[in-house]
Every structure is written in structure tokens, then in C-alpha cells.
Amino acid sequence: MYSEKVMDHFMNPRNVGEIEDADGVGQVGNPKCGDIMKMSLKIENNIIVDAKFKTFGCGAAVATSSMATELIKGKTIEEALAITNKAVADALDGLPPVKMHCSNLAEEAIKAALEDYMRKKNGETGDNKTTSCGRRCEDIEHLHKD
Ligand code: FES
């Protein structure tokens, strides 16, 4: 049912935990099952230099979160925002269709953490309209409204 990569990331999840002085923190819940994920990010010069997660969720949620943190490390904010749950699932050689919803947690937690980062950054500059990633932030708001 699960690929070797899924099993590997489930049994040996990467980047579990919490970054103490995180620049952005996001927590999301999966409406389908009630599972929860918290993602914390360290960002320097627009690059995600560290990412850690904690998941109160199923094995597929653990594996996708683990892979997602691996994928976003070293990426720019814009590149990280472009990573979809499908891309994370593909990087794990796929998930069973009934478990695809689990991969939403990782994508949404990353977006929530980046949104938190941008909110704090804009707060510091006193400008809550202009963001470092313009259109993408509208996408995030759209995602949250949905
Ligand atoms: Fe809830 Fe997988 S069953 S995230």
C-alpha cells in the first residue's frame, strides 16, 4: 500500500521538533480527520534555512511533513509557496488515493508558517499591504478562505 520512501519517512521522520527562535510558525488542522500539524521555519535573506514540524496525525501525514521539510530547506519563499501537496506525494513515490488528503497538512502548514513570517515582517516595517511575494500572499488568503 505504501512506497518504500513513505515507510522510510514514517519510520525515520526528518526535521521533527520545533525551532525555538522561529521566524514563522503555522498550525493547521485537517478538516477530514481532525489531525493537526505545526510547522516552524527559520528564514534568512528570503531563504528557508531550517524547517521543523510536529504532527498529531497519521503515518502519511508524518511522511509527507518529513518530505516537505526536506523539500523546502534551501528554497526561497516563492519556491516553497509553489510546492504542492501533489509534489510532496510525488517525491514520496505516491500515496494511496484515500491518503492524499493527509498531504494537504504539510502544504497548508508551510503556507501558514510563511504567512506568519510575512505578517511579522510587514508588522516590523509598518506596511501590511506590500509583501515580499505579492500575488502569492493573495493565494494564501484565498486558500484560507476556502
Ligand atoms: Fe488525518 Fe492522515 S488521516 S492526516
Side-chain angles (χ1 to χ4, degrees):
M1 182 172 176
Y2 291 111
S3 72
E4 277 181 28
K5 278 192 191 168
V6 171
M7 290 310 293
D8 178 34
H9 278 263
F10 170 56
M11 301 296 277
N12 309 291
R14 282 61 149 182
N15 309 309
V16 174
E18 213 162 330
I19 299 171
E20 273 187 26
D21 56 344
D23 297 304
V25 177
Q27 182 167 310
V28 295
N30 192 325
K32 291 214 177 203
C33 60
D35 289 346
I36 294 168
M37 170 170 320
K38 188 172 186 183
M39 179 80 63
S40 53
L41 304 175
K42 192 84 196 139
I43 298 167
E44 286 171 13
N45 298 323
N46 205 46
I47 305 281
I48 298 170
V49 294
D50 200 8
K52 290 199 187 301
F53 78 94
K54 280 185 176 172
T55 297
F56 184 80
C58 71
V62 171
T64 47
S65 310
S66 169
M67 178 55 88
T69 53
E70 290 280 89
L71 289 177
I72 62 172
K73 278 212 261 182
K75 295 271 195 308
T76 65
I77 291 173
E78 291 77 10
E79 286 168 341
L81 283 168
I83 292 175
T84 61
N85 67 318
K86 186 173 179 311
V88 176
D90 286 349
L92 287 166
D93 293 337
L95 280 174
V98 292
K99 301 302 279 181
M100 270 308 284
H101 74 93
C102 310
S103 61
N104 288 336
L105 269 182
E107 181 190 329
E108 290 183 8
I110 290 168
K111 289 187 162 83
L114 289 172
E115 190 182 30
D116 179 53
Y117 165 72
M118 289 182 284
R119 202 183 303 121
K120 285 178 183 156
K121 198 172 157 218
N122 292 333
E124 279 167 19
T125 61
D127 179 355
N128 59 11
K129 289 250 175 353
T130 309
T131 65
S132 61
C133 65
R135 192 180 66 78
R136 284 292 180 186
C137 301
E138 287 163 25
D139 289 350
I140 291 173
E141 279 164 26
H142 180 67
L143 183 110
H144 281 256
K145 264 183 241 150
D146 290 349

